[in-house]
Amino acid sequence: MTVPVIAIDGPSASGKGTVACRVAEALGFHYLESGALYRLVALVSLREGIALTEAARVAEIARRLDASFRDGQVFLAGQNVSEHLRSEECGKRASEVAAVPELREALLARQRAFRQPPGLVADGRDMASVVFPDAGLKVFLTASVAARAQRRYKQLIAKGISANLRTLSRDLEDRDARDAGRSVAPLAIAPGARLLDSTPLTVDEVVGQILDWYRESAPRAKD
Ligand code: C5P
């Protein structure tokens, strides 16, 4: 029997991470935050001074990446790098390295290895289109730029990090354009994906909608 997958794709700050994690918890499924893998490669490329033009070396980082995930934290060679990964610098670099086809190819097997019983919830940009095209439920989660900038603003302020709404909006728009405009695995609504606009919804409502869709698509999963 194939292990069920729920693929949740969407733009930056659409709330995919929070929602995917909650859906995984509710179903007792594993969780893959694929963006963290791109961010890890970005962090290593910055630390080691590897240029984006050196595609083979960027892909090589993915092959030797000593990454582990525990309790919502990300470790690189045993060191907790979660805070570094969340930085805007890392996010921007991640969306740049993500345009390197050799890197995307090198990360495929690593992402697919997360598909373990009893099931997987995976979030990213190409979960439904490339990594898990046979996912039983595909969701494209989005929200207006203003709503996403506002959410990110609140998160940063809550952490005591100063932030500027205009700059955040501009960064999000730049990242969206880069992710949607690249030639490999561009951010797009995959065929068969359900569109969910979270602008007017609470996290609970978004999670509830995805669980309803999952139960409709896999009626026996709820028993
Ligand atoms: O989701 P997150 O913002 O952490 O992802 C960081 C960057 O990694 C994105 O802007 C995107 O360019 C890239 N990414 C990707 N494919 C994925 C996940 C992330 O290209 N499946």
Side-chain angles (χ1 to χ4, degrees):
M1 226 184 94
T2 55
V3 176
V5 176
I6 299 177
I8 304 179
D9 292 303
S12 299
S14 56
K16 305 181 297 292
T18 309
V19 166
C21 210
R22 292 262 310 266
V23 171
E25 260 172 36
L27 296 169
F29 282 11
H30 298 281
Y31 168 51
L32 164 64
E33 180 195 359
S34 63
L37 292 172
Y38 288 90
R39 286 173 185 264
L40 280 165
V41 171
L43 181 66
V44 174
S45 79
L46 287 168
R47 283 184 177 174
E48 298 186 2
I50 296 174
L52 295 169
T53 45
E54 300 178 272
R57 289 187 72 199
V58 173
E60 175 56 25
I61 300 175
R63 284 189 211 98
R64 63 179 156 89
L65 204 59
D66 176 9
S68 50
F69 299 82
R70 273 196 313 279
D71 306 327
Q73 305 289 306
V74 187
F75 297 82
L76 181 64
Q79 189 201 356
N80 189 339
V81 290
S82 310
E83 281 303 312
H84 296 288
L85 296 189
R86 289 287 129 223
S87 71
E88 287 302 306
E89 186 195 19
C90 230
K92 178 169 179 289
R93 179 70 165 207
S95 91
E96 290 166 351
V97 295
V100 176
E102 291 86 343
L103 169 65
R104 304 199 71 87
E105 181 64 32
L107 283 177
L108 268 183
R110 198 182 272 267
Q111 294 174 90
R112 289 182 178 147
F114 280 80
R115 188 174 193 166
Q116 299 284 343
L120 175 70
V121 181
D123 87 56
R125 304 293 188 290
D126 60 347
M127 297 298 98
S129 55
V130 178
V131 184
F132 302 109
D134 64 337
L137 174 63
K138 301 177 178 185
V139 178
F140 190 86
L141 183 64
T142 190
S144 67
V145 172
R148 289 187 282 135
Q150 188 69 45
R151 289 176 195 166
R152 182 143 287 176
Y153 179 81
K154 280 192 193 151
Q155 280 172 355
L156 291 171
I157 297 297
K159 282 193 206 156
I161 302 170
S162 70
N164 176 298
L165 254 184
R166 275 168 81 93
T167 314
L168 286 174
S169 299
R170 209 177 39 235
D171 286 353
L172 281 176
E173 279 171 327
D174 286 353
R175 182 111 55 97
D176 287 355
R178 205 166 28 235
D179 288 350
R182 70 184 173 217
S183 53
V184 277
L187 173 69
I189 305 178
R194 290 174 179 254
L195 178 65
L196 184 49
D197 183 348
S198 72
T199 308
L201 304 177
T202 63
V203 172
D204 283 347
E205 288 169 329
V206 175
V207 171
Q209 175 64 83
I210 294 176
L211 288 172
D212 285 349
W213 280 339
Y214 180 69
R215 286 168 182 142
E216 280 165 21
S217 70
R220 276 168 298 143
K222 64 174 184 289
D223 299 332

